Amino acid sequence: MLIFVPAMYNLIKNFLFRYPPESIHHSVMRGMKTIYSLPLGKNILNAFCGVKTPGLEREIFGLTFSNPVGLAAGFDKDAKYIDELACLGFGFVEIGTVTPLPQPGNELPRLFRLPEDKALINRMGFNNEGAVAAAKRLQRKRSNIIVGGNIGKNKVTPNEEAVSDYEKCFHALYDVVDYFVVNVSSPNTPNLRALQEKEPLKQLLHHLQVLNAQKVKPKPILLKIAPDLTTEQLDDIIEIIKETKLAGIVATNTTISRAGLKTPAAEVNDIGAGGLSGLPVKKKATEVIRYIHTHSQGRIPIIAVGGIFTAEDAQEKLDAGASLVQVYTGFIYEGPTIVKKICAGLRPTGIH
């Protein structure tokens, strides 16, 4: 039966890929929610997709993960499917990016498939229903899965006032998430990546850490970075992480590069701006992870994202220095058993 499920998904995927990516995403997730709500729905999802591989637990920044495979931000932006996703074996789920105020994001279409490259291009633009709405949903979740809150600023907020937006998200989500990720690396919000520069980034992270220290139980705060940074910028990031005592790094976000794609250039040009994810980002993400791990003497925990489709891809990221991995594009191309398959092929390490 387990052999049949991936084969079945390949057939279903051929059908699903005939429809616009964003609309079919919502349809599929609503369908999964319906299955979950059936009397035996949760058991069925667990039976086919749940992870039972022993020895994959690990303790990172004070949290114990049942396995190292998580779902990256962007898939369940508004925390609408946490319990359903928990049944698919994920060790953790990262919601968002959420902003203080609801915003519609960029104009449609804004999500595109590149099947020849096993990739996606998106320019979603932080479309979400706001931090307060996400927090209310998380208060109702039933599973004990670890949840990360990926936070950003509203499009209309100038960079000079960005700190206030991140602060509002931090307060709104503090009681309902297990860790935070500061997103300053999306290419789809104008001028957002300028916040990755040394001084504004240091100011932002320091402010959040001051707020965090005032809490009875501070939460881990991580920084999500782009794959397009220079080595000098990565050195600055490492220095800032150490200086602000952040819990770790998420590496990496989508890339603005279009180098080496198999998809015809004319088709890629027609798609236009946006962040590229999937297999084309795999090598660059691994290089960034290895650089950070090496130049920080392994002292900065890293969540790896970028081109993870198989157990071999995930193991490559872990061997490069990552502590955890996240999937997004791979989930879309490989289907609901991706976590089970990855975990089955990883080397057990036990809690460390």
Side-chain angles (χ1 to χ4, degrees), residues 308-329:
I308 299 172
F309 289 71
T310 66
E312 290 75 21
D313 297 334
Q315 192 66 59
E316 176 184 285
K317 294 289 195 289
L318 296 172
D319 290 344
S323 301
L324 303 165
V325 301
Q326 290 177 329
V327 298
Y328 180 101
T329 306

Side-chain angles (χ1 to χ4, degrees), residues 37-225:
S37 68
L38 297 174
L40 295 177
K42 182 178 178 180
N43 293 336
I44 291 170
L45 290 173
N46 272 319
F48 284 106
C49 305
V51 172
K52 300 177 179 65
T53 307
L56 295 181
E57 303 86 359
R58 52 191 62 204
E59 188 173 313
I60 311 294
F61 38 80
L63 299 173
T64 301
F65 296 80
S66 59
N67 72 68
V69 185
L71 181 62
F75 196 92
D76 188 13
K77 288 175 178 287
D78 292 304
K80 293 181 176 179
Y81 308 106
I82 297 295
D83 292 330
E84 292 81 3
L85 291 165
C87 290
L88 302 188
F90 287 104
F92 60 109
V93 171
E94 193 172 302
I95 68 159
T97 298
V98 300
T99 54
L101 298 175
Q103 60 181 26
N106 294 322
E107 292 183 6
L108 299 173
R110 54 195 181 183
L111 181 61
F112 308 87
R113 305 184 193 96
L114 280 62
E116 291 180 63
D117 293 288
K118 299 185 80 171
L120 298 171
I121 290 176
N122 92 82
R123 52 171 176 268
M124 304 300 287
F126 288 175
N127 58 306
N128 74 108
E129 297 176 11
V132 173
K136 288 179 178 177
R137 290 194 184 94
L138 288 173
Q139 287 171 353
R140 300 193 294 267
K141 80 178 178 74
R142 297 178 181 178
S143 61
N144 61 358
I145 190 170
I146 289 175
V147 175
N150 187 301
I151 58 177
K153 78 173 188 71
N154 283 111
K155 182 177 181 179
V156 297
T157 303
N159 278 8
E160 296 76 27
E161 300 171 22
V163 170
S164 176
D165 273 17
Y166 287 92
E167 177 178 341
K168 290 172 184 175
C169 290
F170 176 81
H171 287 309
L173 293 175
Y174 176 81
D175 290 328
V176 291
V177 300
D178 299 289
Y179 70 90
F180 285 94
V181 175
V182 177
N183 188 355
V184 291
S185 53
S186 170
N188 301 317
T189 295
N191 301 317
L192 181 74
R193 285 191 169 192
L195 293 175
Q196 289 182 122
E197 295 302 324
K198 190 172 184 179
E199 290 309 315
L201 182 58
K202 191 186 300 185
Q203 179 187 356
L204 170 60
L205 297 179
H206 175 73
H207 182 74
L208 290 175
Q209 283 291 57
V210 168
L211 296 175
N212 203 22
Q214 294 170 358
K215 300 290 187 179
V216 175
K217 186 180 179 182
K219 299 284 175 77
I221 299 178
L222 292 82
L223 173 69
K224 189 165 189 175
I225 63 172

Side-chain angles (χ1 to χ4, degrees), residues 1-21:
M1 183 63 76
L2 290 178
I3 297 174
F4 175 70
V5 171
M8 184 170 66
Y9 180 72
N10 284 332
L11 292 174
I12 295 172
K13 182 174 68 177
N14 291 335
F15 170 77
L16 297 178
F17 275 27
R18 297 178 183 177
Y19 296 90

Side-chain angles (χ1 to χ4, degrees), residues 223-273:
L223 173 69
K224 189 165 189 175
I225 63 172
D228 309 307
L229 299 176
T230 64
T231 53
E232 290 80 8
Q233 288 173 312
L234 288 176
D235 289 337
D236 286 343
I237 293 289
I238 292 169
E239 179 186 328
I240 291 168
I241 294 293
K242 292 178 178 178
E243 186 176 324
T244 58
K245 296 181 171 59
L246 239 61
I249 288 177
V250 181
T252 63
N253 212 318
T254 57
T255 181
I256 56 175
S257 171
R258 299 292 188 265
L261 295 178
K262 298 176 183 176
T263 304
E267 185 177 332
V268 175
N269 290 335
D270 286 344
I271 289 172

